[in-house]
Amino acid sequence: MRLYICEKPSQARDIARVLQAHRRGDGCLQGTGVTVTWCVGHLLETAPPETYGEQFKRWSLEHLPIIPQQWQLVVKPKVATQLKAISRLLQACAEVVIATDADREGEMIAREILERCDYQGPVLRLWLSALDEASIRRALAALRPGEQTLPLYHCALARSRADWLVGINLSRLFTLLGRRAGFDGTLPVGRVQTPTLRLVVERDRAIASFVARPFWTVDVVLQDDGAEFEARWQPPAAQCDDTGRCVDQVAAEQAARRLATARSAQVERVDVERVTEGPPLPFDLGTLQEVCSAKLGLGAQETLSVAQALYETHKATTYPRSDCGYLPESMLDEVPRVLHALAAADPALGQRCKELDPTRRSRAWNGSKVTAHHGIIPTAVVIPLDQLSERERAVYILIRARYLAQFLPHHEYLKTQVQLRSQADQLLARGKQIQVRGWKAVIDETDACEPTEQTQRLPTLQEGGSVGMRDAKVNTQRTQPPKPYTEGTLVKAMKTIANQVADVRLKQTLKDSIGIGTEATRAAIIQGLIDHGYLTKKKRSLAASAAAHTLIEAVPREVADPVMTAVWEQALARIETGQLSVEAFLAKQSAWLTQVVRSQASLNLQLPRSQGPACPVCRSPMRQRKGRTGNFWSCVRYPDCKGTKPVKASAAPAKPKRT
């Protein structure tokens, strides 16, 4: 008997239907020579500290670090019955097919059960990218040897144990040090969550400490043969800051007066460039979360849940937890079927589908760049849109549009830049003229923030000619603070952490890695920070709570350093490729933890003894201090931050006092 082990009951039903395993058994579905069983996510979990010794029940600095010599797993009580059913099936089967999700965690869910039950028989791997019938049949015909995906298990095992080591030891360490300093509360530390939290804390502080500075622009209205267009005055370098903005109001006003009274300007130079843009790649999960946050206001976990439903429940899209937007050339044969299904499901696409060229090969079709999973695309299942919820429909349309874009022409436009002169004043006009709309017919990527002068259509101008001057006006503007993170932009920051690294060699190394966390875990990490009150969400914006600021102040910089975490993730990737052993990786983490515990245990954290108000400058907690005229609230980050509040006004926002 061949036993298929699936990750979820719904996944098992889909596979059993294709295998014609319709007979219901104890925790399984059975057919001729095949049995399909299922997990409910992880049936086992890493044992708690007290399993390794009764002394670890009590949180104590003298017992840190806790580093198991022999790792143990315990059965989750709610799923113990299902584990017993799988154990009985393993004793009776001739071979096992792992049919869990095709990723690290899916591999671990099955492998840890096989080890627990001491299964010694042959193992095959079903590698599924979609749950429609055609995809399941194709995957069943191409089962992989179990040895091929075993490194995924090793990678997941190392990640799980490293998370346990860091979470258990550092959470206990800094919570105990916090209590010693009088802080009433826990300070949970995570291998990924703490660096993620630091990103938001530092962004909040940058926003709070931002000082807006004024600058001035002069916009000029010009005319040529009855066609009006805009140009912008180019201030001399002596009147600009280091970004080229005019910071001399008098100079801007004088230029506006000169230009307003001038009759004409001469065209000195005309540069026209034809720009060709190919379509964006199909979505990976991180990019989908970013776009859904910006366009639909969905959180990262909401987007993942919707994408999972489209994949698992409706069979309408492929596997969602992908970190890759490329597609293998082997899927080109499916293009006509997928396009036909899309047209059949949505009659409104009928005319648009006639414009598609199924033989077009965009840059997305590149098997050499496909990782464990390809980009998220529609399947050949005909799914009427009215069968989807509002959110499912919106996300599906975004995924569908990225796929359709691969079969439309490139977007082409003329980018024009014109330099003009009016006596001593230099002017610059920019324009854009679309030549071929191409793939933008299905993906609207118009940037509403793009200046009008860069999107306008300029008249045909000749070098040496002149244009009429109609008007000139001064605009007073102010520099803007950094924008708060949204869930989408925070996911992007976690992925592209290399952009925040100055070291050239490390930057390149991180560009080749996956950043902080994985596509499968980032949403859960952010949602966990929200659920535990470390991040607050107002509309789409995220902000760090006072407790989050306290935590980031408490831990050493290396613990909250996203670069360090990205390097750890890269080490996990080396385990996946067989270049590093689990034991060697965990030995390094254990040595590092031992060093951190020894160096920190003798220190006294500078934390507030009571949770005061949030600092009006950087949002960190405040503590009471004694001054010449009485007590006052002072930021715990003093002297780096000098925000203060009077004690009597602590409940209400107050303008920060700076000394």
Side-chain angles (χ1 to χ4, degrees), residues 191-204:
R191 184 179 60 87
V192 178
Q193 74 174 28
T194 305
T196 301
L197 191 60
R198 177 184 158 193
L199 288 172
V200 184
V201 167
E202 291 189 342
R203 176 62 58 87
D204 284 358

Side-chain angles (χ1 to χ4, degrees), residues 239-477:
Q239 295 158 354
C240 297
D241 61 13
D242 55 4
T243 63
R245 293 180 294 228
C246 178
V247 293
D248 188 332
Q249 180 179 5
V250 173
E253 290 173 346
Q254 290 174 346
R257 285 195 292 269
R258 289 194 303 270
L259 293 167
T261 57
R263 292 192 172 186
S264 63
Q266 284 67 51
V267 179
E268 291 191 328
R269 181 170 177 175
V270 179
D271 293 312
V272 180
E273 178 187 2
R274 190 178 188 91
V275 180
T276 300
E277 294 179 358
L281 294 173
F283 283 113
D284 58 75
L285 178 58
T287 307
L288 180 64
Q289 289 167 325
E290 182 186 353
V291 171
C292 286
S293 174
K295 286 186 172 290
L296 307 177
L298 297 182
Q301 186 62 50
E302 291 175 301
T303 299
L304 176 56
S305 298
V306 171
Q308 190 71 25
L310 289 171
Y311 160 71
E312 192 173 291
T313 305
H314 301 290
K315 320 297 185 293
T317 58
T318 57
Y319 185 73
R321 291 179 171 89
S322 174
D323 63 352
C324 172
Y326 289 93
L327 303 170
E329 291 89 342
S330 59
M331 297 184 71
L332 286 167
D333 292 341
E334 301 176 35
V335 169
R337 293 177 55 244
V338 175
L339 294 181
H340 176 76
L342 295 179
D346 187 0
L349 277 180
Q351 182 57 41
R352 184 69 64 203
C353 286
K354 294 178 181 178
E355 302 170 10
L356 304 176
D357 180 3
T359 65
R360 185 179 295 277
R361 301 291 179 264
S362 70
R363 67 187 179 100
W365 302 98
N366 189 338
S368 66
K369 293 190 176 182
V370 175
T371 56
H373 304 285
H374 57 69
I376 307 169
I377 61 173
T379 64
V381 171
V382 178
I383 180 77
L385 297 187
D386 58 7
Q387 292 185 11
L388 303 176
S389 69
E390 183 178 352
R391 285 183 175 180
E392 290 170 345
R393 184 163 56 251
V395 174
Y396 178 72
I397 288 174
L398 289 174
I399 294 171
R400 182 184 71 181
R402 286 269 180 134
Y403 185 73
L404 294 175
Q406 309 308 314
F407 309 104
L408 288 169
H410 286 183
H411 178 67
E412 299 181 24
Y413 61 92
L414 297 179
K415 184 170 70 174
T416 306
Q417 185 166 287
V418 181
Q419 296 179 19
L420 308 101
R421 176 181 290 276
S422 175
Q423 297 181 7
D425 294 306
Q426 289 277 0
L427 305 175
L428 183 64
R430 295 186 177 93
K432 181 177 181 180
Q433 184 176 346
I434 295 175
Q435 302 292 293
V436 180
R437 187 157 179 77
W439 56 267
K440 287 210 171 184
V442 293
I443 300 178
D444 180 14
E445 296 200 350
T446 302
D447 187 353
C449 299
E450 192 171 4
T452 303
E453 54 126 3
Q454 294 187 15
T455 59
Q456 65 185 332
R457 180 168 181 168
L458 296 177
T460 302
L461 302 173
Q462 301 296 327
E463 293 182 2
S466 65
V467 295
M469 193 86 71
R470 291 289 306 277
D471 191 20
K473 62 178 180 179
V474 178
N475 301 304
T476 302
Q477 301 185 49

Side-chain angles (χ1 to χ4, degrees), residues 28-43:
C28 64
L29 292 166
Q30 297 175 320
T32 304
V34 297
T35 299
V36 182
T37 189
W38 55 85
C39 307
V40 190
H42 285 275
L43 302 185

Side-chain angles (χ1 to χ4, degrees), residues 520-557:
T521 60
R522 292 186 186 109
I525 289 165
I526 294 172
Q527 190 60 49
L529 291 171
I530 294 172
D531 292 343
H532 289 92
Y534 291 97
L535 293 181
T536 59
K537 190 173 180 181
K538 185 176 182 181
K539 294 184 178 179
R540 300 184 184 184
S541 298
L542 294 174
S545 65
H549 285 267
T550 296
L551 175 60
I552 298 304
E553 281 298 311
V555 300
R557 187 172 182 84

